[in-house]
């Protein structure tokens, strides 16, 4: 009998990358992927805990699975990701009694053993690896891949659940990262995205694997970027997310490496010093503005993105206006805005009051959203008449789409043979979220 699995992934790229690893574990057990949850024997929910609403979506699924289990008594429902990771007292688990397996990301190496205990028809296997990050993911593209280099975080920003959900910072072995990327390069991959909670704080546990002629001396992440830039097929290197305080001289210099995409995502969270301090971001407004200045001095046309939280505990209108003014100075190309949501266990939950009303958070969120759209639309006009470099991801009805080097979605007439290649359409029209081009 062919057993099947279905994985639903919530949240960030790192969760998506972990799901691609879980696929490898299940495939090795002989299970097959299915897009149809009703035909699955194992269902995995890979959860996100960043905001309250992300967890609420999991709590609400009990009735669906009760129905599925009635039809298929051997069905195994597993929950992984950030929720089990942060749930040290198993309080959250009590709210999902319909779940058969509940494990943190790093425990996926034990999945074969645990699944075989629940269903004796499954093949019993040894653990695949000791460090789950060394399991090479089942990449969903033949030309773009995500590579996790780090998990967890030591920073304890007061609003953030990540250090609880994913533990303190753990850096993957350099040897293993380079082997994975080298393998992708040999297979002809064009773009890789390095993932970590603070990627630019990557510290190689085995630095002896850096080349002797590496031009960077101090910052291991800059050194890693340099190593990747030597590879032959990979043409674009992208990474997320860095922390402003580790944007040192070498890091900023590494932005000029030839394969670095013309985009950086640098979370700021707030433009006000008191709020930044209460968030434990470890830098002030001016420090962030100086970094942006240095980036622009090295690469004037680099697109810049950020993350902002509105309505953090005690945030006044004046303090919010500091975020608005910082936004205007930085002239962001894209910004992800979140309304602050209390996460149990965090310092903010214990020490501060979540006292900005829902309506006010919504109003501030909308102000930033409108500002971003206005700025982005205006900025995108500069591409009209210019050629941009696009890695083509898909083509439908002779329309091809992909991201430019600035991570701007671009559409132009083409054909399926262009998928996975880099094209340089000339832009004739620019909207807020889409550039229209022509390949001449
Ligand atoms: N409430 C709202 N947004 C949050 N983020 C992280 N924690 C919270 C929270 N408690 C946002 C931050 C971070 C992004 C991944 O999610 O902006 O950069
Ligand atoms: Fe969370 Fe701050 Fe670490 Fe980012 S740096 S993962 S926001 S604690």
């Amino acid at each position: 009998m062919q057993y099947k699995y279905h994985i639903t992934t919530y949240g960030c790229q790192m969760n998506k990358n972990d799901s691609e690893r879980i696929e490898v574990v299940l495939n090795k057990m002989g299970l097959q992927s299915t897009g149809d949850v009703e035909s699955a024997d194992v269902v995995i929910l890979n959860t996100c805990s960043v905001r309250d609403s992300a967890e609420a979506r999991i709590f609400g699924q009990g009735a669906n699975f009760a129905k599925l289990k009635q039809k298929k008594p051997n069905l195994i429902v597993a929950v992984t990701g950030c929720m089990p990771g942060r749930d040290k007292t198993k309080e959250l688990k009590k709210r999902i009694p319909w779940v058969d397996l509940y494990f943190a990301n790093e425990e996926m190496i034990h999945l074969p053993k645990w699944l075989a205990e629940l269903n004796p028809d499954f093949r019993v296997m040894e653990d695949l690896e000791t460090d789950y990050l060394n399991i090479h993911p089942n990449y969903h593209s033949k030309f773009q891949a995500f590579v996790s280099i780090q998990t967890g975080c030591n920073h304890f920003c007061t609003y953030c659940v990540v250090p609880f959900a994913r533990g303190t910072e753990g850096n993957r072995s350099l040897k293993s990262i380079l082997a994975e990327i080298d393998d992708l390069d040999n297979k002809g991959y064009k773009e890789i995205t390095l993932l970590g909670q603070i990627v630019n704080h990557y510290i190689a546990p085995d630095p002896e694997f850096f080349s002797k002629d590496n031009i960077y001396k101090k910052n291991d992440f800059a050194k890693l970027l340099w190593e990747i830039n030597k590879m032959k097929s990979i043409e674009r290197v992208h990474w997320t997310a860095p922390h402003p305080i580790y944007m040192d001289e070498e890091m900023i210099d590494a932005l000029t490496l030839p394969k670095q995409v013309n985009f950086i995502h640098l979370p700021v969270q707030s433009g006000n010093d008191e709020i930044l301090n209460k968030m434990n971001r470890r830098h002030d407004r001016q420090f962030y503005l100086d970094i942006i200045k240095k980036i622009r001095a090295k690469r004037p046309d680099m697109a810049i993105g950020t993350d902002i939280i509105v309505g953090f505990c005690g945030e006044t209108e004046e303090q919010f206006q500091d975020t608005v003014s910082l936004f205007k100075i930085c002239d962001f190309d894209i910004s992800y805005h979140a309304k602050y949501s209390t996460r149990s266990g965090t310092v903010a939950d214990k020490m501060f009051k979540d006292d900005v009303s829902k309506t006010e958070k919504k109003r501030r969120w909308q102000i930033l959203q409108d500002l971003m759209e206005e700025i982005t639309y205006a900025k995108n006009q500069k591409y009209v008449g210019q050629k941009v470099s696009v890695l083509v991801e898909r083509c439908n009805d002779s329309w091809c789409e992909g991201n430019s080097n600035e991570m701007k979605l671009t559409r132009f007439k083409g054909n399926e043979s262009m998928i996975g290649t880099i094209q340089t359409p000339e832009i004739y029209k620019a909207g807020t979220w889409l550039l229209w081009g022509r390949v001449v």
Side-chain angles (χ1 to χ4, degrees), residues 50-51 159 269 307 309 338-341 343:
V50 143
R51 279 164 240 161
Y159 52 82
Q269 314 297 358
D307 286 348
I309 299 177
K339 297 167 211 130
Y340 173 64
S341 149
R343 309 310 296 125

Side-chain angles (χ1 to χ4, degrees), residues 152-157 159-163 197-198 243 269 281:
C153 178
N154 296 337
H155 262 240
F156 290 92
C157 297
Y159 52 82
C160 183
V161 81
V162 166
Q197 297 303 337
I198 304 188
H243 193 294
Q269 314 297 358
R281 289 295 292 175

Side-chain angles (χ1 to χ4, degrees), residues 296-395:
R296 293 234 154 96
K298 282 268 180 200
R299 272 187 89 154
D301 58 347
M302 184 169 251
I304 302 180
T306 200
D307 286 348
I308 292 173
I309 299 177
V310 296
F312 186 61
C313 311
E315 186 188 65
T316 63
E317 174 62 21
E318 222 183 335
Q319 290 170 330
F320 169 66
Q321 285 306 328
D322 282 344
T323 300
V324 174
S325 75
L326 176 130
F327 198 118
K328 289 180 183 161
I329 299 171
C330 294
D331 213 23
F332 292 119
D333 288 81
I334 187 160
S335 176
Y336 296 90
H337 306 132
K339 297 167 211 130
Y340 173 64
S341 149
T342 311
R343 309 310 296 125
S344 57
T346 58
V347 170
D349 177 45
K350 289 179 192 148
M351 288 184 55
F352 312 128
K353 241 173 111 182
D354 178 16
D355 53 1
V356 178
S357 73
K358 261 193 179 161
T359 348
E360 185 54 23
K361 282 177 188 165
K362 206 169 159 207
R363 189 187 71 86
R364 292 179 191 177
W365 183 88
Q366 194 63 54
I367 288 173
L368 289 185
Q369 206 68 11
D370 292 347
L371 180 63
M372 167 176 69
E373 292 190 10
E374 190 188 313
I375 290 180
T376 306
Y377 180 82
K379 285 190 80 170
N380 284 354
Q381 302 315 308
K382 76 170 178 227
Y383 298 106
V384 175
Q386 279 193 22
K387 283 188 174 164
V388 298
S389 161
V390 178
L391 176 55
V392 184
E393 289 181 34
R394 53 195 165 265
C395 290

